[in-house]
């Protein structure tokens, strides 16, 4: 399905809320169900990635009563998961594949993890290597999915210095480490999102965090009810639409404001955005609050590589915003973008060029010369089957007086099922 988008050109004043954060939702099921018992998850998102995790957990023998955004989970606990599972389908979800691999290896469960065309191209050596060092038996062709996990002796804890900045890799090792004999310590080069650590802490496990070093060992955890705050990575597209539109102002309530995820907002503030945010609550270790964003004139900035892991999913959106900011924006150390649902460096470059916007890029670096302007031509955007590319360029369309057409819109269901409802505040939308 294609969507045709054109700005409404009217004053926008909206109050928004979002379905639960995708990263926390995965962990609410995978880590939450390690404990034996019943718990409720509120504001669980119905995005395809989260449903992939939900279906994998059901195959392990976890009973999940899914009633829209409220979920009742009844888990037999990790010691009583089924011991042989056949094939688990992680769909498009790297988080599902990598975290499930840590869980299955840690529990000594025999299974194959498979996924779709895009997931089959993504690197898995980064989890196979540390998990094998712990004693897991994982085989694959070219370190790609499908991954075949065999029964093995119980895993042994390791000290692991992360060669890549990846919360998925860190989480896979920490989950396996929780199930292993002895201590496991992971040392990060740069901070990545910390929902795994917070979830283990909220459940009462023995986890110690000192700066970039995280140590975990087996301990008692208890099933606990959870509320998942709104997904800030989905909200990022509507915040951008508000900044780029004329006469617009939005307020977002009950949104995740975790320190490692709100860096997007801090960068926008540095770019001169009229944004305000405030933490009003902490629930299960996660900060929650509100964000207000208004139409803004932005300016280019330099973004250094140590910050990239904290804005990894927002870079396509920031690249689009940079193209409408006065001056130059530089992104350093963005090589991980090549290994996402598409090669996001190429995908961003191709679509910015299709819109007549100016950039230069290499394997790990992108420079955008922006201008605070409106476009006036029919633009065809290729999503490359990647939700965050489709959504970022849909937000861009508020700056095009002509029509912007985005292909394969269905891919946005990976993370943001009702995005058109939100975009319709800003845009006239037709589908074809
Ligand atoms: C995620 C971590 C990030 C991010 C992904 C979700 C997570 O990936 O891109 O969308 O939930 O841990 P990496 O940590 O592998 O970069």
């Amino acid at each position: 399905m294609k969507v045709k988008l054109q700005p409404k050109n009217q004053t926008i004043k909206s109050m928004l809320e979002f379905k639960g954060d995708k990263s926390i939702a995965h962990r609410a099921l995978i880590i939450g169900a390690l404990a034996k018992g019943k718990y409720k998850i509120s504001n669980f998102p119905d995005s395809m990635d989260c449903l992939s995790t939900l279906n994998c957990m059901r195959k392990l023998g976890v009973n999940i009563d899914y009633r829209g955004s409220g979920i009742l989970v009844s888990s037999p606990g990790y010691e009583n998961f089924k011991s042989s599972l056949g094939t688990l389908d992680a769909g498009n979800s790297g988080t599902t594949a990598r975290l499930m691999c840590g869980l299955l290896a840690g529990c000594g469960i025999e299974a194959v993890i498979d996924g779709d065309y895009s997931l089959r191209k993504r690197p898995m050596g980064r989890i196979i290597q540390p998990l094998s060092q712990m004693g897991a038996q994982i085989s694959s062709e070219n370190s790609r999915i499908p991954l075949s996990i065999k029964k093995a002796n119980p895993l042994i804890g390791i000290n692991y210095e992360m060669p890549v900045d990846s919360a998925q890799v860190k989480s896979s090792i920490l989950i396996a480490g929780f199930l292993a004999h002895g201590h496991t310590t992971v040392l990060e080069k740069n901070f990545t999102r910390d929902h795994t650590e917070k979830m283990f802490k909220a459940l009462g496990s023995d986890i110690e965090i000192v700066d970039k070093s995280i140590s975990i060992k087996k301990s008692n955890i208890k099933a606990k009810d959870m509320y998942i705050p709104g997904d800030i990575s989905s909200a990022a597209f509507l915040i951008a639409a508000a900044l780029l539109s004329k006469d617009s102002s939005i307020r977002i309530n009950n949104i995740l404001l975790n320190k490692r995820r709100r860096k997007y907002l801090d960068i926008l503030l540095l770019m001169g955005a009229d944004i305000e945010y405030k933490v009003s609550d902490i629930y299960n270790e996660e900060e929650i609050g509100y964000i207000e964003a208004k139409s803004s004139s932005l300016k280019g900035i330099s973004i250094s590589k140590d910050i990239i892991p904290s804005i990894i999913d927002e870079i396509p959106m920031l690249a689009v915003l940079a193209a409408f900011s006065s001056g130059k924006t530089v992104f350093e150390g963005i090589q991980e973008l090549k290994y996402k649902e598409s090669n996001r460096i190429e995908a961003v470059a191709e679509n910015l060029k299709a819109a007549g916007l100016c950039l230069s890029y290499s394997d790990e670096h992108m420079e955008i010369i922006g201008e605070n302007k409106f476009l006036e031509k029919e633009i065809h955007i290729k999503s490359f089957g990647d939700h965050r590319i489709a959504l970022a360029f849909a937000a861009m369309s508020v700056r095009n007086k002509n029509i912007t057409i985005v292909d394969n819109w269905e891919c946005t269901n990976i993370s943001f099922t009702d995005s058109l409802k939100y975009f319709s505040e800003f845009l006239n939308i037709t589908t074809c």
Side-chain angles (χ1 to χ4, degrees):
M1 179 179 91
K2 288 183 179 168
V3 291
K4 279 190 184 174
L5 311 165
Q6 202 159 23
K8 277 185 170 166
N9 285 328
Q10 62 188 35
T11 303
I12 293 146
K13 199 166 171 31
S14 286
M15 190 94 104
L16 306 173
E17 287 209 29
F18 288 82
K19 289 180 183 165
D21 182 73
K22 179 161 85 71
S23 286
I24 299 182
H26 289 296
R27 287 150 174 93
L29 287 175
I30 297 174
I31 301 174
L34 290 170
K36 185 175 174 176
K38 292 189 176 155
Y39 64 105
K40 196 169 76 189
I41 310 175
S42 317
N43 205 27
F44 190 87
D46 57 356
S47 55
M48 283 165 69
D49 271 9
C50 296
L51 297 183
S52 292
T53 288
L54 188 146
N55 288 327
C56 290
M57 294 307 290
R58 276 187 173 150
K59 276 208 159 181
L60 279 167
V62 178
N63 196 300
I64 304 173
D65 186 0
Y66 182 43
R67 300 180 186 170
S69 70
I71 286 194
L72 293 175
V73 183
S74 177
S75 176
Y78 69 85
E79 284 164 325
N80 301 306
F81 286 157
K82 290 186 184 152
S83 60
S84 178
L85 302 180
T87 299
L88 297 182
D89 183 6
N92 189 254
S93 173
T95 311
T96 307
R98 296 190 176 113
L99 272 58
M100 285 304 298
C101 193
L103 175 70
L104 298 174
C107 291
I109 295 170
E110 195 152 310
V112 173
I113 300 179
D114 206 349
D116 71 6
Y117 171 76
S118 148
L119 193 58
R120 280 179 168 219
K121 291 200 290 192
R122 295 177 67 184
M124 294 295 153
R126 51 182 62 194
I127 54 163
I128 297 174
Q129 198 271 326
L131 293 174
S132 303
Q133 211 179 312
M134 296 173 86
Q137 303 274 331
I138 305 169
S139 54
S140 73
E141 231 173 82
N142 303 323
S143 298
R144 297 284 188 270
I145 260 169
L147 302 178
S148 172
I149 301 150
K150 296 270 172 264
K151 281 200 174 69
N153 290 328
L155 302 189
I156 311 286
I158 53 168
N159 289 332
Y160 193 69
E161 270 187 46
M162 299 265 299
V164 284
D165 293 321
S166 165
Q168 295 182 356
V169 173
K170 173 178 68 176
S171 302
S172 182
I173 302 168
L174 289 176
I175 292 167
F178 173 81
L179 297 160
H181 283 314
H183 279 87
T184 291
T185 301
V186 179
L187 183 64
E188 299 197 88
K189 270 202 295 224
N190 292 301
F191 287 117
T192 63
R193 63 189 69 188
D194 58 355
H195 306 300
T196 294
E197 297 89 306
K198 288 189 184 305
M199 183 66 68
F200 270 118
K201 214 166 161 198
L203 297 180
S205 82
D206 202 339
I207 184 161
E208 199 177 282
I209 302 155
V210 181
D211 194 36
K212 297 191 181 88
S213 158
I214 308 123
S215 296
I216 195 161
K217 65 173 184 162
K218 196 172 270 180
S219 45
N220 283 329
I221 53 171
K222 281 211 175 94
K224 196 170 185 193
D225 287 346
M226 302 176 194
Y227 165 77
I228 307 184
D231 192 325
I232 188 167
S233 293
S234 296
F237 303 110
L238 280 303
I239 293 168
L243 299 180
L244 292 175
S245 296
K246 278 194 206 152
D247 300 324
S248 109
S249 142
I250 60 171
R251 181 182 164 105
I252 302 171
N253 289 324
N254 294 323
I255 194 80
L256 177 70
L257 285 176
N258 174 303
K259 277 200 189 84
R260 311 255 173 98
R261 298 287 299 286
R262 68 187 193 217
K263 277 273 181 290
Y264 173 67
L265 305 175
D266 297 329
I267 285 183
L268 292 177
L269 285 168
L270 287 174
M271 293 173 84
D274 190 350
I275 284 189
E276 189 186 302
Y277 70 82
K278 192 163 180 212
V279 174
S280 52
D281 208 352
I282 297 178
Y283 193 83
N284 281 341
E285 306 287 325
E286 295 285 2
E287 294 169 293
I288 305 174
Y290 74 82
I291 303 169
E292 284 176 354
K294 294 183 184 147
S295 316
S296 301
S297 298
L298 302 176
K299 60 176 194 295
I301 59 165
S302 281
I303 301 172
S304 59
K305 60 181 180 201
D306 52 315
I307 296 175
I308 296 298
S310 298
I311 50 164
I312 190 76
D313 291 340
E314 282 66 66
I315 294 173
M317 190 66 264
L318 284 167
V320 167
L321 286 164
F324 295 92
S325 307
S326 46
K328 183 160 83 173
T329 297
V330 181
F331 297 88
E332 298 283 1
I334 54 169
Q335 57 279 3
E336 274 299 304
L337 286 195
K338 290 183 292 185
Y339 309 116
K340 295 295 175 186
E341 287 82 333
S342 68
N343 178 334
R344 287 186 178 159
I345 303 180
E346 300 277 357
V348 163
E350 190 163 333
N351 286 313
L352 284 182
K353 282 183 189 160
L357 299 162
C358 184
L359 90 161
S360 63
Y361 65 99
S362 69
D363 250 14
E364 49 189 52
H365 167 266
M366 187 157 59
E367 264 184 46
I368 296 169
I369 310 288
E371 201 187 322
N372 189 0
K373 64 176 177 188
F374 279 81
L375 308 173
E376 298 195 32
K377 65 169 192 169
E378 185 170 309
I379 300 170
H380 292 257
I381 297 297
K382 281 195 210 162
S383 68
F384 295 90
D386 183 334
H387 53 133
R388 300 210 195 273
I389 296 297
L391 291 158
F393 284 88
M396 181 197 76
S397 71
V398 303
R399 276 295 175 105
N400 186 13
K401 292 183 180 163
N402 207 314
I403 298 169
T404 304
I405 300 165
V406 184
D407 76 1
N408 190 4
W409 188 256
E410 291 85 348
C411 70
T412 58
N413 290 328
I414 291 295
S415 63
F416 193 3
T417 47
D418 47 0
S419 58
L420 286 183
K421 185 184 91 194
Y422 290 82
F423 278 123
S424 65
E425 298 273 339
F426 298 89
L427 297 164
N428 289 316
I429 302 171
T430 48
T431 55
C432 51

